[in-house]
């Protein structure tokens, strides 16, 4: 059978009997109580997976591997060019650390269902903290370190954590990011206050602890008694991960325990071609969904060795860093964002640094987080002489919607395509009225309900928000928010978002929330933020502001204030560096700002004047400002 036939067979088997497909996958997980029904359509927004089942995710990630003889195998390798450190944690080491930290959290009153926020750099304690929560049946919510205090505060207010786990500092090239002042400011801003904070003191910049509230994480952990795993329902939440929505308020995507464990366990072999004992590296950050799924949970569920990397693709120390890590730890599958490849390509286009390393163990490069531009995919494949697989997914789904599949053999290389739907996803492009479009026609990429196991079943304490965000536009479907098409062969082409979400260096950001910040500046009358094309980061935000009548301060001064304001309110991750003053914004006659038109002008496209425009002169004015 050729590769496509193998895939067709697997996809066909799933379609013929989805419940049997997932029940078989669920055999890879240890359950304390077997499920009553594989899928119960009467529960939640569209049904729930493995209802009646009970398990503990941490047990499946650690304890069962130790009991099964993998205690001395490396579970987590922390490779930190930022500090020059390398630490290996065996499964037994991880069991020891995680069960004691779980004991420490329990000592602070954390029990099943309580929330714990983690605001952490890329240190082992981030993974240990997540797993300790899972061990107790507590719900963790990790907040990416590049977000500012105000963003952290909104997450604290929404999740209402009993405890926050953080560190004294994070390390970025050329600067130490002091987390503690950001944490203190966020707690000050939030109406909800945690009972306690556990702080990892890093030698690069230790911090003051607030007596009565803050505790030294390592001290408390060392003094605690190990805590056993608490079985939870398959449908209980494992974590909340906040992601950008179309409003300023982030969405708390909920992940359950049972479906998540099953989907991630099965994805490791089906997509990535790795088994217990193999080394897998997701070069992402624990603050993003890729980090949750593929630095922490999936590799450990499968009994692999996972790499946690505190560094960058370039500059730590050079553009050979990724290849060094792959060679040193014998990485079999590497997963990263296209932007990281573009950064390496810029600095080492001919692969001179790559040539210094033995990459014979590396089988496949997987890319996601944003669409990979074809030249970068081709460059990577030619240089590595290994298959490059672009696969498409979102925070909401927790694992890939479309991909190539190592288990079925890979499809022919089609740069720019995200592969074919994973078993579990009945994916189609719909027109704006919700009709299925013929193959080869672009539309709203949508998944026929139910979503497969692993996908977020709701938003934290906001079932209604979940329905309105994803399910109500096209009844019976999950709307991904991406535009694209499924072609005649079944290959999927994702072309970009249909909402105001942009992707900056693989980081998902809302232009709406940036507009809210710009609009709060005293001199700004109105504004628009768009994602303009960027050679390295894919997109970068560009802010256009109209000043209030009578303001005549220099543009550079106002622009600098706006850049600083976004950094202060949203954080450095927004990478907002370009704000320009315009006389007016192009609008429709009903007053809607023509953001898509502005974006196309910024990207250098020739734009026909839209018939709905109120005043065509505004396009010329914008063109002049953008070409400056
Ligand atoms: N904590 C604090 N600040 C952070 C941070 C963190 N965890 N992560 C990023 N930042 C800061 C950076 O220091 C930078 O600050 P600066 O404005 O002072 O320079 C800013 O946020 C923007 O960071 P970034 O977008 O990473 O840009 P960069 O120019 O520093 O690096 C790349 C460019 C391409 C090397 C980098 O974006 C990269 O490694 N991308 C891969 C992304 C990725 O893995 N995404 C995960 C999805 S799979
Ligand atoms: P996030 O929730 O941060 O993972 O971002 C999800 C969004 O990133 C998706 O909705 C897409 O817009 C985009 N995205 C992620 N991976 C891909 C990919 N392989 N191809 C195209 N777009 C992608």
């Amino acid at each position: 059978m050729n590769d496509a036939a193998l895939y067709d067979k697997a996809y066909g088997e799933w379609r013929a009997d989805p419940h049997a497909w997932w029940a078989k996958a669920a055999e890879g997980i240890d359950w304390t109580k077997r499920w009553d029904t594989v899928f119960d359509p009467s529960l939640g927004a569209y049904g729930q997976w493995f209802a009646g089942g009970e398990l503990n995710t941490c047990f499946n990630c650690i304890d069962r591997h130790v009991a099964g003889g993998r205690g001395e195998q490396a579970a987590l390798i922390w490779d930190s060019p930022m500090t020059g450190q390398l630490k290996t944690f065996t499964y037994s080491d991880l069991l020891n650390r995680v069960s004691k930290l779980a004991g420490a959290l329990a000592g602070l009153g954390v029990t099943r269902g309580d929330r714990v926020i983690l605001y952490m750099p890329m240190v082992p304690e981030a993974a240990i903290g997540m797993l300790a929560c899972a061990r107790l049946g507590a719900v963790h919510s990790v907040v990416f370190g590049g977000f500012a205090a105000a963003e952290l505060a909104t997450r604290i207010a929404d999740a209402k954590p009993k405890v926050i786990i953080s560190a004294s500092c994070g390390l970025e090239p050329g600067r130490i990011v002091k987390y503690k002042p950001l944490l203190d400011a966020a707690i000050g801003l939030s109406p909800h206050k945690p009972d306690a904070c556990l702080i990892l003191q890093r030698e690069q910049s230790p911090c003051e602890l607030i007596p009565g509230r803050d505790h030294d994480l390592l001290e408390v952990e060392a003094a605690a008694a190990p805590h056993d795993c608490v079985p939870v329902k398959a449908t209980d939440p494992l974590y909340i991960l906040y992601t950008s929505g179309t409003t300023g308020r982030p969405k708390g995507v909920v992940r359950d325990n049972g479906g998540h464990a099953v989907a991630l366990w099965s994805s490791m072999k089906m997509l990535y071609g790795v088994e217990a004992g193999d080394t897998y590296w997701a070069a992402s950050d624990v603050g993003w969904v890729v980090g949750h799924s593929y630095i922490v949970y999936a590799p450990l569920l499968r009994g692999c060795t996972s790499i946690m990397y505190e560094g960058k693709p370039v500059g730590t120390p050079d553009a050979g860093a990724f290849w060094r890590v792959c060679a040193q730890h014998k990485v079999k599958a590497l997963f990263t964002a296209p932007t990281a490849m573009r950064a390496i390509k810029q600095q080492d286009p001919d692969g001179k640094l790559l040539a210094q390393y033995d990459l014979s163990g590396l089988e496949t490069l997987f890319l996601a987080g944003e669409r990979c531009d074809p030249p970068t995919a081709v460059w990577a494949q030619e240089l590595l002489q290994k298959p490059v697989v672009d696969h498409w997914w979102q925070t909401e789904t927790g694992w890939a919607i479309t991909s190539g599949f190592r288990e079925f053999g890979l499809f022919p290389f089609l740069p720019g395509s995200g592969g074919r739907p994973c078993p579990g996803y009945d994916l189609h492009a719909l027109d704006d009225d919700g009709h299925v479009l013929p193959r080869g026609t672009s539309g709203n990429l949508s998944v026929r309900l139910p979503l497969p196991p692993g996908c977020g079943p709701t938003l934290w304490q906001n079932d209604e928000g979940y329905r309105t965000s994803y399910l109500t536009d096209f009844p019976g479907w999950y709307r991904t928010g991406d535009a694209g098409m499924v072609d005649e062969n079944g290959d999927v082409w994702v072309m970009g978002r249909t909402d105001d979400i942009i992707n900056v260096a693989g980081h998902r950001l809302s232009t709406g929330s940036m507009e809210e910040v710009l609009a709060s500046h005293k001199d700004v009358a109105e504004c628009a933020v768009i994602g303009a094309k960027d050679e390295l980061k894919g997109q970068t935000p560009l802010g256009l502001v109209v000043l209030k009548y009578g303001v005549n301060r220099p543009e550079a001064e106002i622009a600098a204030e706006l850049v600083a304001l976004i950094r202060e309110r949203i954080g450095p991750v927004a990478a907002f560096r370009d704000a320009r003053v315009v006389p007016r914004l192009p609008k429709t006659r009903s007053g809607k700002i023509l953001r898509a038109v502005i974006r196309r002008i910024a990207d250098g496209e020739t734009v026909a004047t839209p018939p709905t425009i109120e005043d065509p002169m505004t396009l010329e004015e914008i063109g002049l400002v953008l070409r400056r």
Side-chain angles (χ1 to χ4, degrees), residues 110-172:
V110 175
T111 59
R112 180 177 165 185
D114 286 338
R115 273 81 56 214
V116 174
I117 278 190
L118 289 97
Y119 184 58
M120 293 292 266
M122 284 290 283
V123 289
E125 284 72 15
I128 292 169
M130 291 161 76
L131 291 158
C133 293
R135 194 169 188 84
L136 295 174
V139 181
H140 63 69
S141 185
V142 183
V143 179
F144 178 62
F147 281 119
E151 289 285 327
L152 177 58
T154 57
R155 288 149 173 83
I156 297 173
D158 196 65
K160 302 191 176 50
K162 204 170 243 181
V163 171
I164 298 183
I165 301 178
S166 189
S168 56
C169 68
L171 305 172
E172 284 293 297

Side-chain angles (χ1 to χ4, degrees), residues 241 243-244 288-290 338 367-372 389-397 401-402 416-418 478 480-483 493-499 501-503 506-509:
L241 180 55
T243 190
S244 301
W288 306 111
V289 68
V290 175
L367 299 173
E370 55 178 315
R371 175 172 178 266
C372 185
V389 177
D390 185 5
H391 62 331
W392 166 55
W393 52 300
Q394 340 181 285
T395 304
E396 288 84 344
T397 64
I401 307 169
T402 63
S417 162
Y478 165 83
T480 64
D482 280 300
W493 303 79
V494 183
M495 301 320 296
R497 299 285 308 189
T498 56
D499 51 22
I501 288 170
I502 58 170
N503 224 302
H507 306 144
R508 173 168 160 180
L509 298 164

Side-chain angles (χ1 to χ4, degrees), residues 30 69 75 80 91 187 198 238 259 286 319 506 510 551 574:
D30 285 13
S80 169
Y91 273 97
I187 294 174
L198 291 182
L238 169 68
V286 282
S510 152
V551 175

Side-chain angles (χ1 to χ4, degrees), residues 144-146 172 175 283-284 290 312-313 339 505-506 537 567 572-573 577:
F144 178 62
E172 284 293 297
R175 77 190 165 101
S284 177
V290 175
K312 301 274 175 183
T339 192
K537 299 190 177 189
R567 195 175 172 96
V573 65
R577 298 205 173 99

Side-chain angles (χ1 to χ4, degrees), residues 246-322:
T246 45
T247 63
R249 193 181 152 213
K251 297 175 181 176
V253 174
V254 171
R255 194 82 56 210
D256 66 9
N257 276 272
H260 173 254
V262 171
L264 293 195
W265 180 87
S266 96
S267 71
M268 289 303 279
K269 180 156 182 239
M270 181 167 60
L271 276 68
Y272 304 104
V274 293
E275 284 279 21
D278 289 336
T279 302
Y280 180 91
W281 180 24
S284 177
D285 188 290
V286 282
W288 306 111
V289 68
V290 175
H292 280 62
S293 293
Y294 291 106
I295 296 174
V296 182
Y297 287 112
L300 298 181
L301 283 164
R302 198 85 206 192
C304 297
T305 300
S306 181
I307 309 278
M308 182 183 235
Y309 175 73
E310 190 186 35
K312 301 274 175 183
V314 292
T316 58
D318 57 30
F322 272 27

